[in-house]
Every structure is written in structure tokens, then in C-alpha cells.
Amino acid sequence: MPSKKSTDPYLHVSNIYAHLMDFISYKWWAKYLYSITKNKLIKNPRVLELAAGNGSLANHLTKIYKNYIVTDISLNMLKHNDGNGRKICCDMIAIPFKTKFDLILSSFDSINYLMSKQKVLQHFKQVKNILSDDGIFTFDTALESNSYKHQKTALNKGRTKGFKFVRKSIFNPKTKIHKNVFTITYPNGKEYLETHTQKIYSFDTFFELAEKSGLYVVNCYKAFSFTKGKATSDRVQFIMKRKA
Ligand SMILES: C[S@@+](CC[C@H](N)C(=O)[O-])C[C@H]1O[C@@H](n2cnc3c(N)ncnc32)[C@H](O)[C@@H]1O
């Protein structure tokens, strides 16, 4: 099986990502994020989306927010974005901006790609440095019960645009590491293996690291809802601000 070393974590999955996510309405998601943040934001905010992937959320949010920068560590994911916004390839723990943003966001477990608490702390510190005084930082994160649920649908397969794929989902409750192993067959018959490794943190970790980084939690919702998030939720949506 050929496997060219690449630093792009979504080199191959970028080809099938839109298909993997077609169960979700990004239009609805964008409205949800707008509704939980709008009362906390200034007019015409400067927006930075981190780990934006193929920009599906940005394609909707840029209809509301005109000053919007889309970023991701994967150049191939960014290439699959057909929006007109500014796109920059960067790591969310090495954010290359000096200007301040009024809204900084990431979605769909992107923060779980940071494999240590130290990296999450570094990420929070960097976000804090470029968050305007009254700015809002919001992201969602998968918690442990989400990983157990995925074990039930541990194997799935599909095809899209001539690509075939098989996905295996494996969660290790001891290390709290969740792996998604993709085997992707290109239209020309070549097969590639791509493993996505994510760390599942405890609910309390985010409060602890926010505190250490100079941020604080304004709200934490059960994701996609307006009810309070809990340690037992599948996924939670944090809203943080800078401490004074
Ligand atoms: C599950 S996808 C989510 C993409 C998009 N936010 C969405 O909701 O569809 C995770 C994304 O995180 C990106 N990513 C992983 N590690 C990253 C890092 N250290 N810095 C920036 N982006 C990262 C991946 O390239 C991928 O596009």
C-alpha cells in the first residue's frame, strides 16, 4: 500500500469529507452559532475561523459576517473550499496573526486534534492574545460518551465521486485516544491509509485550561442546543472570553 509521508492530516480524507458530513446541515449549524453569540458581539465583527476544513460553515457564516478569515492546517481541505473569503493555511497552535478578532471559532471536534493538554493550553493562550477585549471564542468538543456511541457504528463504508472508503472507529478508554482509520481507494485504483487521531479530554479540563490561559467560560451548552452542557454530554459548545 503506497504511503507518501505528508504533514497534511486530511490529505486523502479531504476528497471524501463533504460526503462524510452530508448528514449535517451547515446552514442550520451557522444559524445556531449565530444565535448563541449574536448578543455578545459588536456590529461587523472581525471573524477568524480555525480548523475550518473545507469551509462549509464559513460558506454560510460569511453571508452574515463580511470580515472573515478561513484557516486550516490542511491545504487540501482549504482547496476544497469554493468560497471567496480569505484563506490561510495555519496551525491553531501557531496562529500567524497580530491583529485582534472579535469572534474566533472552530467547529466539529477540531480541538480534539490537539493531542496533549499542553497543546490545548498553547492554543487557548494564542487565541487569548488575538481576541479583542470584548471578543468571543467559541468551539465545540467531543466528550467521552460520544466516543462510546461511535464504537457502535465502528465500521462504515461508502463511495463518492469515484472514491471508495472504509472507516474504522476505535476508542481506547485508558488513553482516551480516538482513532478513525480510513482506507481510501482513488478512482485510479490506488489505495491509501489515513489515520486521524484525536484526544478526548474531560469536561473539567477545558475550564482548567481556560483559567490557566487567561480566558474564562461564559457559557457551555450541550452542543446544538441551548441547555447547559455536562460532563456526560456527547458534545459541548464552549463560549469563552478574555479575563479582564
Ligand atoms: C473534523 S474536521 C472539521 C472541519 C470543519 N471545522 C467542519 O466543521 O467541517 C477537523 C479539521 O481540523 C483541522 N486540523 C487538525 N489539526 C489542526 C491544527 N493543529 N490546526 C489547524 N487545523 C487543524 C483538520 O485539517 C480538519 O480540517
Side-chain angles (χ1 to χ4, degrees):
M1 193 177 289
S3 132
K4 209 171 150 211
K5 267 264 172 247
S6 163
T7 51
D8 187 330
Y10 271 66
L11 177 63
H12 302 298
V13 170
S14 56
N15 293 299
I16 60 163
Y17 188 74
H19 174 79
L20 291 177
M21 295 300 282
D22 69 4
F23 69 98
I24 216 143
S25 164
Y26 280 97
K27 187 177 177 185
W28 188 92
W29 202 347
K31 273 193 192 158
Y32 170 69
L33 293 178
Y34 174 69
S35 64
I36 59 170
T37 53
K38 68 176 179 204
N39 293 336
K40 299 177 171 68
L41 278 176
I42 60 161
K43 267 195 175 174
N44 304 319
R46 287 152 299 181
V47 183
L48 175 67
E49 185 174 349
L50 300 166
N54 61 358
S56 298
L57 193 61
N59 290 347
H60 295 284
L61 284 174
T62 48
K63 289 180 188 150
I64 307 170
Y65 301 124
K66 300 298 169 201
N67 192 343
Y68 200 108
I69 301 179
V70 172
T71 69
D72 196 278
I73 204 171
S74 164
L75 192 59
N76 286 281
M77 283 294 262
L78 290 173
K79 280 185 187 163
H80 278 82
N81 174 5
D82 49 11
N84 313 315
R86 275 173 71 196
K87 289 177 237 171
I88 290 169
C89 189
C90 70
D91 192 330
M92 62 178 139
I93 60 166
I95 303 174
F97 298 102
K98 288 206 171 81
T99 48
K100 304 262 180 186
F101 294 88
D102 306 301
L103 174 62
I104 300 178
L105 70 138
S106 74
S107 66
F108 207 53
D109 311 340
S110 297
I111 202 162
N112 296 88
Y113 279 85
L114 300 178
M115 291 304 292
S116 64
K117 277 171 81 168
Q118 206 209 333
K119 285 193 172 154
V120 178
L121 180 61
Q122 193 178 339
H123 170 56
F124 281 0
K125 282 183 175 167
Q126 296 218 343
V127 165
K128 188 221 156 194
N129 286 342
I130 55 161
L131 197 58
S132 61
D133 286 349
D134 293 318
I136 298 293
F137 170 41
T138 187
F139 64 90
D140 63 81
T141 183
L143 298 178
E144 210 167 327
S145 62
N146 181 63
S147 288
Y148 287 118
K149 271 193 189 155
H150 276 284
Q151 285 301 284
K152 290 188 192 141
T153 52
L155 183 71
N156 66 28
K157 44 174 92 174
R159 51 175 73 214
T160 174
K161 293 182 284 172
F163 291 84
K164 284 192 257 172
F165 68 89
V166 177
R167 169 169 55 183
K168 251 193 227 168
S169 177
I170 311 147
F171 178 59
N172 182 329
K174 278 204 184 114
T175 59
K176 312 284 185 216
I177 287 177
H178 194 132
K179 284 189 181 176
N180 278 293
V181 183
F182 293 89
T183 307
I184 300 186
T185 313
Y186 277 61
N188 64 8
K190 280 195 177 161
E191 196 176 85
Y192 295 91
L193 198 70
E194 190 169 282
T195 302
H196 289 190
T197 308
Q198 290 174 288
K199 178 92 180 174
I200 308 302
Y201 297 100
S202 77
F203 183 61
D204 292 344
T205 297
F206 295 97
F207 291 84
E208 173 200 322
L209 297 179
E211 178 66 29
K212 276 193 185 153
S213 65
L215 295 167
Y216 71 95
V217 177
V218 182
N219 293 105
C220 176
Y221 297 107
K222 181 174 183 296
F224 311 122
S225 85
F226 300 93
T227 56
K228 212 171 164 190
K230 294 188 285 195
T232 51
S233 305
D234 289 354
R235 186 186 300 275
V236 285
Q237 180 79 41
F238 279 99
I239 300 184
M240 298 187 181
K241 285 187 81 167
R242 284 175 75 109
K243 282 196 238 169

